[in-house]
Amino acid sequence: SAGDLVIGAIGTVQRFKGAIDDLRLYGRALDVSEITDLYSNETNVLRKSEGSAKGQITDEAQLSVEDPEIDTLFGFKIYPNPVEDRLHIQLNSREETTVEVVVYDMMGRQYLNRSVVPDNGEIVLDLAPLRMSAGTYLLILDEGQGRLKQIKFIKK
């Protein structure tokens, strides 16, 4: 419609009291099978791009960050999520290029800032020495040349 999109309220009344953690917006109506798959598929692969928001996180979800127009090289997947000690980052590219890996907590405290050369397209982060408490963290990968990606993960 031509009206503004409002999430969590109807004008000045019926304000939502709480927090919205995960939200998906689509430019079309989903069919029944797509909706069923979103909420029943335990191995749901989650996509985040300019056209979609982060999706539902299951206990061992594999998160994928891809933008098909520009990410043939720099899309990536992380697993397991939630993670205990070792977070695997699988890059789409097998190219041996340096990637800056940064991890922040939700309060903005930096836990990791390291340059890494992926081994056969994979980076494995050992989180045990970082003494991270359970919670949500932000992983940022920077391949340079303006190619920066970020995704949240959960530490058990």
Side-chain angles (χ1 to χ4, degrees):
S1 74
D4 292 335
L5 172 65
V6 180
I7 298 172
I10 299 175
T12 59
V13 296
Q14 294 184 353
R15 299 251 178 218
F16 174 74
K17 292 182 176 137
I20 298 174
D21 182 40
D22 296 310
L23 174 70
R24 288 180 187 230
L25 299 175
Y26 295 89
R28 62 180 178 77
L30 299 180
D31 65 35
V32 173
S33 66
E34 290 173 308
I35 294 168
T36 302
D37 185 50
L38 285 172
Y39 293 99
S40 65
N41 187 352
E42 292 179 11
T43 59
N44 213 359
V45 174
L46 310 175
R47 304 205 177 276
K48 181 178 180 181
S49 68
E50 290 181 23
S52 66
K54 187 181 82 159
Q56 174 186 351
I57 297 177
T58 59
D59 282 342
E60 291 294 328
Q62 175 176 299
L63 298 178
S64 174
V65 177
E66 299 176 5
D67 184 343
E69 292 183 17
I70 61 171
D71 283 346
T72 54
L73 292 177
F74 195 50
F76 67 94
K77 296 177 179 137
I78 64 170
Y79 64 91
N81 193 25
V83 61
E84 284 194 41
D85 292 326
R86 297 175 66 82
L87 181 66
H88 295 258
I89 304 165
Q90 186 68 52
L91 301 174
N92 285 354
S93 172
R94 300 286 184 244
E95 199 175 300
E96 289 188 16
T97 181
T98 302
V99 177
E100 297 296 320
V101 179
V102 185
V103 174
Y104 290 98
D105 69 9
M106 293 295 102
M107 299 299 290
R109 291 180 291 245
Q110 188 178 75
Y111 280 80
L112 179 73
N113 187 346
R114 182 182 308 158
S115 295
V116 180
V117 176
D119 181 18
N120 198 28
E122 183 172 46
I123 300 168
V124 179
L125 298 180
D126 184 5
L127 304 178
L130 302 180
R131 297 186 176 169
M132 299 164 66
S133 58
T136 304
Y137 291 83
L138 181 65
L139 169 70
I140 300 172
L141 297 182
D142 185 355
E143 195 181 38
Q145 302 172 1
R147 294 192 291 193
L148 180 119
K149 295 290 181 182
Q150 62 185 22
I151 194 167
K152 290 179 187 174
F153 70 92
I154 299 170
K155 170 79 171 75
K156 286 184 187 179

